[in-house]
């Protein structure tokens, strides 16, 4: 059987493309290497708390394509809490700078019931077309179709949308014939959004930071925690702080890393930090479906190379994904935009 379209990757970009194709009654098959869908959208949970974002979290109203998609799917969203005292730590030799957030600035928003709500809603009508635990190893141009080789056998497609991060695709997929040298170079030198990130969340019985007049925001580039924010849910009945761990703590053992984070946040937010319920974290550099060994010489997030807007393998292969997007690359907006563009070109 030859599928009209095969989409490689069931992250936000791939699912957006699939959603658009389905609306136009274009048949497709989606192949995902993970056991779950969503890619770098990953909403974790504990026994007491849901909607802990270990991946993509925020968006703004300037992200017009994502907002339009949320509105179309009737998915709610809410403003990121930033009221009260916030803290900026310049260095260990200077006192911290305390400030009130500028509430006249454009706010950030989070998706009601977690970013994964968007993933589930997008895929609602085509779950049978998604095959998980299928890792693509090769793409072969057979003139009238592309042969997609996997550990589970081969598939044939008239067109292929490749939504993996370009560096990951270059590392793990064999192209026959090889793509042009400049395309291969672009793939290998395009940074992968989130690949060096370690996210964490701490859950609590009550939002003590709000009660003491603090926003929960602490920002520093030299501390164990680079950024931490209020992470209460939409209904404001599950309380948490979440943010990014300094990648330099990656070499520490889990308990040592957690201890440094607890001690640091205790200093700036209060002793109540020690009354946390759960600590969870996600190191994206260890996710083999996201990251390849990081090239420290190429850490600038340069996205949207124009080479990714072209079709390859005799117009049968299209790229899509937030790294390939010239419009807000490295954001959920970029993933949505590139997925819509890929589907539009096929339709």
């Amino acid at each position: 059987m030859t599928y009209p379209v095969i989409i490689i990757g069931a992250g936000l970009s791939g699912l957006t493309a699939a959603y658009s194709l389905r609306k136009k009654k274009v048949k497709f098959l989606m192949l995902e290497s993970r056991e779950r869908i969503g890619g770098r959208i990953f909403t974790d949970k504990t026994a007491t708390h849901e909607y802990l974002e270990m991946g993509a979290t925020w968006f703004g109203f300037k992200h017009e394509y994502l907002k339009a998609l949320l509105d179309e799917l009737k998915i709610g969203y809410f403003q990121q809490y930033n009221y009260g005292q916030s803290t900026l730590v310049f260095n260990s030799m200077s006192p911290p700078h305390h400030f009130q957030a500028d509430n006249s600035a454009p706010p950030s928003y989070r998706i009601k019931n977690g970013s994964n709500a968007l993933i589930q809603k997008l895929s609602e009508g085509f779950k049978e077309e998604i095959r998980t635990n299928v890792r693509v190893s090769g793409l072969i141009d057979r003139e009238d179709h592309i042969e997609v080789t996997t550990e589970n056998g081969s598939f044939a497609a008239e067109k292929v949308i490749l939504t993996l991060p370009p560096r990951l695709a270059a590392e793990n997929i064999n192209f026959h014939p090889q793509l042009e040298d400049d395309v291969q170079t672009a793939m290998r030198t395009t940074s992968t959004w989130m690949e060096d990130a370690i996210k964490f969340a701490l859950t609590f019985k009550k939002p003590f930071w709000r009660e003491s007049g603090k926003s929960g925001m602490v920002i520093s580039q030299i501390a164990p925690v680079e950024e931490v924010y209020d992470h209460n849910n939409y209904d404001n009945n599950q309380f948490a702080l979440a943010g990014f761990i300094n990648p330099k703590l990656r070499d520490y053992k889990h308990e040592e890393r957690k201890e440094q984070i607890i001690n640091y946040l205790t200093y700036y937010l209060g002793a109540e930090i020690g009354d946390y319920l759960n600590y969870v974290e996600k190191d994206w550099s260890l996710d083999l479906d996201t990251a390849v060994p990081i090239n420290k010489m190429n850490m600038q997030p340069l996205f949207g190379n124009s080479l990714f807007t072209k079709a390859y393998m005799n117009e049968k292969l299209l790229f899509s994904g937030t790294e390939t997007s010239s419009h807000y690359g490295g954001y959920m907006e970029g993933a949505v935009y590139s997925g819509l563009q890929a589907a539009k070109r096929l339709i």
Side-chain angles (χ1 to χ4, degrees), residues 289-302:
D289 295 301
T290 297
V292 295
I294 296 170
N295 178 0
K296 295 298 183 183
M297 299 299 292
N298 181 47
M299 291 306 296
Q300 294 299 316
L302 302 176

Side-chain angles (χ1 to χ4, degrees), residues 1-269:
M1 174 181 181
T2 299
Y3 293 92
V5 182
I6 287 181
I7 302 170
I8 301 173
L12 181 54
S13 182
L15 291 169
T16 300
Y19 174 76
S20 298
L21 292 175
R22 182 175 179 272
K23 288 199 295 183
K24 296 296 184 179
K25 296 182 169 37
V26 177
K27 294 186 177 181
F28 60 86
L29 175 69
M30 176 170 278
L31 304 178
E32 168 57 49
S33 58
R34 292 180 173 91
E35 62 181 12
R36 63 173 180 86
I37 62 174
R40 283 163 285 176
I41 288 180
F42 178 45
T43 306
D44 205 353
K45 63 181 180 180
T46 68
T48 57
H49 286 63
E50 300 176 285
Y51 319 130
L52 301 174
E53 303 294 2
M54 295 293 102
T57 305
W58 298 280
F59 73 97
F61 276 7
K62 61 185 178 181
H63 296 161
E64 55 185 316
Y65 292 94
L66 172 59
K67 182 180 178 298
L69 183 61
L70 291 169
D71 291 342
E72 179 179 333
L73 295 171
K74 294 181 172 53
I75 297 174
Y77 39 84
F78 62 106
Q79 188 171 331
Q80 170 67 38
Y81 184 87
N82 64 350
Y83 301 97
Q85 177 185 286
S86 299
T87 301
L88 177 62
V89 182
F90 290 104
N91 57 62
S92 59
M93 304 300 294
S94 303
H97 172 63
H98 301 299
F99 65 97
Q100 300 286 325
D102 180 6
N103 289 311
S104 66
S108 294
Y109 293 86
R110 287 165 48 201
I111 297 173
K112 180 181 178 181
N113 296 334
S115 299
N116 195 54
L118 173 57
I119 297 303
Q120 296 305 316
K121 193 69 174 181
L122 274 174
S123 62
E124 208 170 61
F126 53 85
K127 291 186 183 294
E128 292 184 358
E129 280 75 42
I130 303 174
R131 300 192 186 183
T132 55
N133 293 306
V134 178
R135 191 174 300 278
V136 172
S137 57
L139 296 176
I140 306 171
D141 187 351
R142 298 296 190 190
E143 295 188 0
D144 64 337
H145 70 276
I146 292 180
E147 181 182 348
V148 181
T149 61
T150 78
E151 298 171 354
N152 307 70
S154 296
F155 304 88
E158 295 175 9
K159 303 282 186 179
V160 170
I161 301 177
L162 177 58
T163 76
L164 302 187
R167 275 160 56 96
L168 192 69
E171 184 76 14
N172 294 331
I173 297 178
N174 294 315
F175 297 86
H176 301 285
Q178 285 283 357
L179 299 176
E180 291 84 345
D181 289 345
D182 56 348
V183 180
Q184 293 185 58
T185 299
M187 293 173 71
R188 294 187 182 280
T189 57
T190 296
S191 298
T192 300
W193 172 59
M194 292 290 289
E195 72 178 343
D196 196 35
I198 315 174
K199 291 197 73 174
F200 78 99
L202 285 164
T203 65
F204 300 91
K205 288 183 179 179
K206 62 179 183 177
F208 65 87
W209 55 96
R210 292 190 182 186
E211 295 168 359
S212 62
K214 297 178 180 177
S215 69
M217 180 192 301
V218 182
I219 300 176
S220 173
Q221 295 300 310
I222 53 109
V225 176
E226 291 186 336
E227 302 174 31
V228 63
Y229 303 93
D230 180 289
H231 203 66
N232 293 5
N233 63 343
Y234 171 82
D235 294 317
N236 202 32
N237 57 13
Q238 295 180 10
F239 314 112
L241 294 167
F244 293 86
I245 301 171
N246 191 321
K248 292 180 180 178
L249 266 65
R250 179 170 283 120
D251 295 332
Y252 287 77
K253 294 181 180 179
H254 179 272
E255 289 301 317
E256 293 173 340
R257 185 164 52 244
K258 181 173 73 171
E259 182 179 4
Q260 286 206 36
I261 292 167
I262 297 299
N263 291 340
Y264 174 77
L265 294 181
T266 296
Y267 183 79
Y268 288 106
L269 293 177

